[in-house]
């Protein structure tokens, strides 16, 4: 058994077709158990890429591509992994993990094809059959999924995975009580079965039984540190209960292992905003006035009968509703033409608004930000804390000796990188600066220098 990720020799991980799914699962758990382990695997991924470029033996190249594809899948780079694994899909292991990629990407037909290819040499591989059943369920073919599951009842009736998959199928059919029984049976067989714990937690969550949901989510993440959905759901639950620090921690745990996870980034931003939220009377008054404008009924304006009828059919009642729809969506509606569109745009312009604006904004007050010039906004911020950066990003800047916005604006990408600011934090800094019409200083050939630094 592999003791720790530091002891894993990736060059010897594959010998022919002997790489085991158990070993890959163990590696994945290790990678998601700490930031240090993730960084070690990231470094190995870069090393594998270089090895592939240097290797001239076609068989060894395929071996390295297979390992690299699996590693990319482990760290959540599913699209990149799938492109690599397509090159080795003739191998049983390659086909299996390509199937896992397709399943995550929602291409269920391709996933099923890969899983079928993976099990051709061993028709008794129970776990692959469960992958097939799961994929069929996810594609909506519940009947076939249940048929596969029940077909293994006699031989694998004491399997936690079988009962968990059975419960998931029953959930899809709306038979929640029966599903619950199968999750409980799975946990009787294996009290530490993370999939069943997650499903129990999710069902309690949906039923509004917060305390039970918290208990099962906590048990799930303690046993399966790579279960990002458990962390995200737990974070949302904490946020709903006003526990913003705990919520932020959950989302940060996901981002430690998968820095580009869109859901975790979005939820972390909301949690951080809630933590730093403060009451300001003037802001409160301003937001009250803005809310009044957004809630003005469309009926208060003089519009053509056609425009009014179209908006009514689209269930658009207020100015706020108009800020949540785009020009293209309006024009796609039957009988809604350019004339009606121009009428709507003129009304919104009177109030300093435009179509689709709410889709670009996080709060109602941002809908009115166009009234403040970029220069005014830039002058209004001095301290780094006003940029609404994540706690981790602020800590990195503080360690680099950067406490004020004016100091930050004097820096280039390369200079910040040399001070230990990683790429994901650079992106966060630039995104937040852009909201105030600000940007980092542009240095000569900065992009080229960044690329060189990244490969050194």
């Amino acid at each position: 058994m592999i003791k720790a990720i530091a002891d894993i020799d990736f060059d010897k991980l594959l010998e022919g077709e002997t790489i085991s799914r158990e070993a890959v699962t163990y590696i994945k758990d290790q990678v998601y158990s700490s930031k240090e382990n993730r960084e070690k695997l990231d470094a190995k991924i870069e090393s594998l890429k270089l090895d592939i470029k240097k290797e001239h033996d076609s068989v060894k190249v395929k071996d390295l591509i297979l390992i690299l594809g699996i590693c990319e899948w482990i760290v959540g780079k599913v699209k990149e992994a799938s492109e690599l694994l397509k090159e080795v899909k003739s191998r049983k292991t390659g086909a299996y993990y390509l199937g896992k990629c397709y399943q995550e990407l929602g291409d269920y037909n391709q996933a099923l094809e890969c899983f079928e290819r993976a099990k051709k040499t061993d028709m008794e591989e129970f776990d692959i059959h469960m992958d097939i059943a799961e994929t069929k369920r996810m594609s909506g073919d519940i009947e076939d999924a249940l048929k596969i599951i029940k077909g293994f009842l006699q031989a694998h009736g004491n399997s936690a995975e079988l009962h968990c998959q059975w419960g998931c199928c029953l959930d899809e059919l709306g038979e929640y009580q029966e599903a619950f029984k199968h999750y409980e049976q799975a946990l009787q067989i294996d009290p530490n079965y993370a999939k069943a714990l997650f499903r129990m937690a999710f069902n309690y969550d949906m039923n509004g039984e917060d305390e039970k949901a918290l208990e099962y989510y906590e048990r799930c993440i303690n046993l399966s540190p790579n279960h990002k959905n458990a962390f995200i759901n737990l974070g949302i639950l904490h946020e709903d209960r006003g526990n913003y620090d705990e919520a932020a921690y959950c989302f940060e745990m996901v981002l430690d292992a998968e820095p580009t996870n869109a859901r975790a980034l979005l939820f972390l931003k909301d949690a951080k905003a809630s933590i730093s939220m403060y009451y300001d009377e003037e802001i409160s008054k301003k937001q009250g006035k803005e809310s009044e404008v957004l809630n003005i009924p469309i009926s208060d304006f003089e519009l053509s009968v056609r425009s009014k009828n179209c908006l009514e059919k689209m269930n658009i009642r207020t100015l706020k509703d108009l800020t949540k729809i785009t020009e293209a969506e309006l024009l796609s509606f039957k009988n809604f033409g350019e004339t009606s569109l121009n009428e709507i745009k003129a009304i919104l312009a009177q109030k300093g608004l435009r179509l689709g604006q709410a889709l670009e904004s996080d709060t109602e007050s941002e809908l009115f930000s166009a009234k403040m010039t970029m220069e005014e906004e830039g002058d209004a911020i001095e301290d780094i804390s006003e940029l609404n950066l994540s706690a981790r990003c602020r800590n990195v800047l503080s360690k680099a000796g950067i406490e004020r916005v004016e100091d930050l604006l004097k820096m280039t990408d390369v200079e910040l990188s040399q001070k230990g600011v990683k790429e994901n934090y650079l992106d966060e800094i630039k995104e937040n600066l852009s909201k105030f019409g600000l940007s980092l200083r542009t240095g000569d050939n900065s992009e080229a220098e960044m690329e060189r630094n990244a490969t050194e």
Side-chain angles (χ1 to χ4, degrees):
M1 176 60 73
I2 299 167
K3 299 296 183 183
I5 196 164
D7 302 323
I8 298 172
D9 186 342
F10 284 91
D11 295 324
K12 294 182 180 179
L13 184 62
L14 178 68
E15 294 179 4
E17 287 280 312
T18 61
I19 185 171
S20 72
R21 293 190 291 276
E22 181 184 11
V24 173
T25 300
Y26 183 81
I27 293 166
K28 190 173 183 180
D29 285 341
Q30 291 298 307
V31 167
Y32 280 79
S33 66
S34 76
K35 189 174 183 179
E36 180 186 4
N37 286 349
R38 168 59 193 258
E39 289 173 350
K40 287 176 181 176
L41 186 55
D42 283 340
K44 191 59 196 178
I45 285 173
E46 294 307 314
S47 175
L48 283 166
K49 290 177 181 178
L50 292 175
D51 289 344
I52 289 170
K53 290 180 181 179
K54 295 175 184 177
E55 184 59 62
H56 299 294
D57 186 317
S58 60
V59 175
K60 290 182 179 178
V61 168
K62 293 290 185 182
D63 290 349
L64 292 169
I65 287 174
L66 176 59
I67 299 172
L68 178 59
I70 292 172
C71 290
E72 293 279 31
W73 174 75
I74 286 173
V75 299
K77 295 182 180 179
V78 182
K79 288 185 179 179
E80 293 89 336
S82 66
E83 291 303 315
L84 290 162
L85 294 169
K86 283 176 187 176
E87 298 184 41
V88 289
K89 66 179 181 181
S90 60
R91 300 186 180 192
K92 182 180 176 181
T93 307
Y96 177 76
Y97 285 103
L98 180 57
K100 298 295 281 185
C101 289
Y102 280 134
Q103 187 191 64
E104 290 185 39
L105 293 169
D107 192 340
Y108 302 122
N109 288 334
Q110 291 271 33
L112 289 170
E113 182 181 319
C114 288
F115 289 142
E116 290 291 343
R117 185 193 298 266
K119 75 176 179 63
K120 276 181 180 177
T121 57
D122 187 352
M123 294 301 290
E124 295 305 316
E125 286 191 292
F126 170 69
D127 59 335
I128 297 184
H129 282 282
M130 291 300 100
D131 282 313
I132 292 171
E134 181 178 50
T135 306
K136 284 182 175 290
R137 171 180 61 79
M138 293 170 75
S139 70
D141 191 352
I142 312 298
E143 186 177 340
D144 263 16
L146 280 171
K147 185 177 179 181
I148 293 170
I149 292 165
K150 291 176 182 179
F152 283 91
L153 184 58
Q154 185 172 352
H156 295 273
N158 201 35
S159 162
E161 173 67 4
L162 181 142
H163 286 285
C164 190
Q165 291 294 346
W166 198 335
C168 289
C169 288
L170 294 172
D171 262 341
E172 295 288 341
L173 294 172
E175 298 176 21
Y176 305 118
Q177 293 300 321
E178 289 301 311
F180 205 83
K181 291 178 183 177
H182 281 283
Y183 298 141
E184 286 185 320
Q185 191 163 350
L187 291 175
Q188 286 174 8
I189 296 167
D190 182 356
N192 296 328
Y193 199 67
K195 277 187 182 180
L197 288 169
F198 175 77
R199 296 303 305 190
M200 292 278 279
F202 181 75
N203 281 5
Y204 280 129
D205 197 352
M206 293 299 98
N207 289 335
E209 297 181 59
D210 290 359
E211 295 302 328
K212 282 284 189 183
L214 285 168
E215 176 192 341
Y216 279 88
Y217 279 136
E218 291 283 0
R219 287 175 61 187
C220 180
I221 62 175
N222 286 335
L223 291 165
S224 181
N226 66 338
H227 207 310
K228 62 185 178 185
N229 287 337
F231 272 110
I232 288 177
N233 287 4
L234 180 58
I236 293 170
L237 189 54
H238 276 310
E239 190 169 2
D240 287 345
R241 292 162 65 87
N243 303 326
Y244 301 116
D245 287 320
E246 289 90 338
Y249 167 79
C250 290
F251 304 137
E252 285 173 344
M253 286 296 291
V254 176
L255 293 171
D256 274 349
E258 196 177 320
T260 59
N261 187 286
R263 291 183 71 210
L265 284 168
L266 176 63
F267 292 136
L268 178 60
K269 183 178 180 181
D270 289 342
K272 292 291 186 183
S274 298
I275 291 171
S276 60
M277 189 180 296
Y278 65 95
Y279 179 80
D280 185 297
E281 188 175 353
E282 289 303 314
I283 291 177
S284 180
K285 288 179 181 178
K286 180 174 179 287
Q287 290 176 339
K289 290 178 181 178
E290 292 168 352
S291 183
E292 287 178 12
V293 172
L294 291 170
N295 289 320
I296 295 175
I298 299 297
S299 58
D300 285 5
F301 299 93
E302 292 185 8
L303 288 171
S304 65
V305 174
R306 173 176 290 185
S307 296
K308 285 183 177 179
N309 288 341
C310 286
L311 293 177
E312 186 174 349
K313 289 178 181 177
M314 296 173 77
N315 201 29
I316 294 174
R317 311 292 183 188
T318 65
L319 293 186
K320 185 176 181 179
D321 294 335
L322 284 172
T323 66
K324 294 180 178 179
I325 194 166
T326 64
E327 288 187 23
E329 289 171 328
L330 279 175
L331 290 172
S332 67
F333 194 79
K334 186 178 179 182
N335 296 327
F336 198 96
E338 289 288 343
T339 302
S340 297
L341 178 65
N342 290 332
E343 279 187 289
I344 299 301
K345 290 166 72 174
I347 286 173
L348 288 172
Q350 293 173 18
K351 303 296 181 181
L353 301 169
R354 67 179 187 277
L355 289 168
Q357 194 170 354
L359 302 176
E360 308 161 5
S361 307
D362 294 321
T363 63
E364 290 184 358
S365 61
E366 285 182 22
L367 295 174
F368 296 82
S369 61
K371 295 179 181 179
M372 180 185 291
T373 65
M374 291 298 185
E375 291 76 17
E376 289 173 332
E377 287 188 319
D379 291 340
I381 60 170
E382 297 179 357
D383 193 90
I384 292 293
S385 62
E386 297 177 74
L387 286 176
N388 196 32
L389 298 169
S390 67
R392 291 169 185 262
C393 187
R394 290 199 302 271
N395 288 339
V396 169
L397 290 176
S398 180
K399 287 179 182 178
I402 302 169
E403 302 289 350
R404 297 175 62 80
V405 173
E406 65 180 35
D407 297 328
L408 183 60
L409 298 179
K410 295 175 184 176
M411 308 291 289
T412 65
D413 285 11
V414 176
E415 290 168 340
L416 285 172
S417 179
Q418 290 170 344
K419 285 181 175 289
V421 181
K422 294 185 178 180
E423 188 176 352
N424 58 315
Y425 294 132
L426 281 173
D427 291 340
E428 181 181 350
I429 290 165
K430 288 188 279 190
E431 179 184 351
N432 280 277
L433 283 175
S434 68
K435 294 176 182 178
F436 295 92
L438 303 173
S439 61
L440 297 172
R441 184 169 66 83
T442 303
D444 294 334
N445 301 319
S446 61
E447 289 187 4
E449 290 180 48
M450 282 289 284
E451 289 182 4
R452 284 199 296 274
N453 289 336
T455 57
E456 289 176 356

